[in-house]
Amino acid sequence: MTHLWKSNGDKRTIVFEYKPSDTILKYLNDMRDLINKAIINAYSMAKSNNNELPSPIVLRKSLKNYYDNNIDYAKHHINPACRNAIQNYG
């Protein structure tokens, strides 16, 4: 018995239109800017600490004032941004 969806080598692509709302786009842009700021802070902190990157917790503390004054989301949204800045770009 063959699988009903088995491909014969033909590529099957489903295309649909999606336009994200302005709220989603604003959130994504804000998080992108926060991650970029976190990367800059992490590297400047590493320069002064024998090229050792800070922990996400130390990075979060250094970004607290920037986050509180520029970003209007719940406080926990800063955590994944700091974690991504250290893990993915460190």
Side-chain angles (χ1 to χ4, degrees):
M1 184 167 138
T2 62
H3 193 280
L4 295 176
W5 294 346
K6 184 175 178 175
S7 173
N8 295 327
D10 298 336
K11 299 292 182 192
R12 296 184 180 124
T13 303
I14 298 172
V15 178
F16 60 93
E17 283 288 319
Y18 174 71
K19 178 160 174 40
S21 69
D22 290 339
T23 304
I24 295 290
L25 289 175
K26 181 181 181 329
Y27 176 78
L28 291 173
N29 286 329
D30 287 345
M31 290 300 111
R32 179 201 57 210
D33 294 343
L34 181 60
I35 290 172
N36 287 335
K37 177 80 170 160
I39 291 169
I40 291 168
N41 275 20
Y43 279 112
S44 68
M45 292 170 81
K47 276 187 170 181
S48 64
N49 194 21
N50 294 330
N51 291 330
E52 185 176 324
L53 287 171
S55 71
I57 295 167
V58 171
L59 184 59
R60 182 181 66 217
K61 289 178 183 177
S62 75
L63 290 171
K64 184 180 179 338
N65 286 337
Y66 173 81
Y67 186 83
D68 289 344
N69 294 326
N70 296 307
I71 301 190
D72 296 329
Y73 303 107
K75 300 293 182 205
H76 67 271
H77 287 260
I78 194 171
N79 296 338
C82 292
R83 200 170 38 249
N84 281 324
I86 297 297
Q87 291 175 352
N88 295 334
Y89 302 103

